[in-house]
Amino acid sequence: ELLRRLRGDSLPRMPMTGPPYLAYSEVALFEAWVAEGLPAGAPPVAEAPAASPAVAAAVPTDAPPNYLDVAPIFATRCAKCHSVGGLMGAPPEGFVLTSHAQTLDATDRARVVPGQPQASELLRRIRGQARPRMPLDGPPYLSDVEIALIERWIAAGARDSEGRAAPLPVGARVRLHGTLDGPASLDGWSFEMNADTRIDKQPRPGNHVELRGRVQANGGVSAERLRRR
């Protein structure tokens, strides 16, 4: 069964965080090991355990976080569903979290707005400001340290693994949920409204609302529709 899961002959294919799955050469190594009768080999040399994402996030650093800092969190807590062929089959709403490019893809709508954590649906989902809170298999949800690391990554420009800040997706759609706490304020974050903004179901301060809009050149969001949920 182990080999069938690694090859994808039995579903779900393993590892659960794939793709990427094991390379053909790695699967072949498992096959050879099984064929030889599972030899125990030499005792492993003790090594210091690798730091978990939460521990790594707690280490102070002056360098802005990049994708390599947040990717382990996405791989262990998000990619089991938000990947091609994940637990839910197709990734929910087409959002894939297995690469930097896919995480920032704004073809449908922007879930991450570089430099703007409060305008990023991804952060609102893992904080619980948007419903349902993510990861969907929580609780437990992400720790405060992990959430803070993702917030700092977005604020620093959602940098790639080389440390390059991502461009602002000007004109991209966004869909944000949160608590309205002012005429044009969502959880303390201000957005833009104008005469063309559609208002549905008479949202009032204290209501949970959905905001649909577009990213502006200044990094703000211009609301196209605001409705009470």
Side-chain angles (χ1 to χ4, degrees):
E1 183 180 359
L2 171 64
L3 293 176
R4 292 184 62 82
R5 294 282 186 178
L6 295 178
R7 289 192 299 249
D9 297 333
S10 294
L11 300 177
R13 186 173 182 178
M14 295 294 169
M16 193 70 79
T17 55
Y21 298 106
L22 299 189
Y24 291 118
S25 59
E26 292 173 315
V27 176
L29 187 60
F30 274 94
E31 290 177 340
W33 175 62
V34 172
E36 292 173 8
L38 316 182
V45 177
E47 296 180 356
S52 68
V55 173
V59 178
T61 176
D62 294 330
N66 63 37
Y67 182 68
L68 295 179
D69 297 308
V70 298
I73 303 174
F74 297 152
T76 56
R77 296 304 311 275
C78 308
K80 64 183 71 175
C81 293
H82 287 277
S83 62
V84 177
L87 283 178
M88 303 181 72
E93 298 188 347
F95 186 35
V96 177
L97 273 162
T98 54
S99 73
H100 181 263
Q102 291 167 321
T103 302
L104 270 67
D105 181 52
T107 303
D108 173 33
R109 66 179 185 273
R111 275 84 168 190
V112 174
V113 180
Q116 301 293 330
Q118 290 278 35
S120 298
E121 182 181 354
L122 172 65
L123 184 64
R124 289 184 165 272
R125 289 283 182 187
I126 62 177
R127 277 180 175 167
Q129 293 169 314
R131 304 169 189 164
R133 185 173 184 177
M134 295 292 168
L136 196 57
D137 61 357
Y141 298 105
L142 300 190
S143 69
D144 292 342
V145 172
E146 290 171 318
I147 294 173
L149 175 59
I150 293 172
E151 181 176 4
R152 288 194 294 114
W153 173 65
I154 297 173
R159 297 168 184 257
D160 64 14
S161 57
E162 301 296 326
R164 297 175 295 230
L168 192 67
V170 177
R173 293 182 174 88
V174 294
R175 188 182 71 190
L176 307 174
H177 294 180
T179 301
L180 192 69
D181 55 6
S185 178
L186 199 64
D187 300 302
W189 166 75
S190 297
F191 55 90
E192 301 172 19
M193 294 183 65
N194 54 54
D196 295 325
T197 302
R198 176 179 169 182
I199 309 294
D200 290 333
K201 299 184 179 179
Q202 299 179 326
R204 304 179 187 278
N207 291 157
H208 187 74
V209 298
E210 177 186 87
L211 165 66
R212 298 196 181 209
R214 291 185 182 269
V215 178
Q216 303 300 296
N218 63 1
V221 170
S222 177
E224 296 181 335
R225 182 183 184 188
L226 181 68
R227 66 167 177 160
R228 180 166 52 86
R229 292 297 301 264

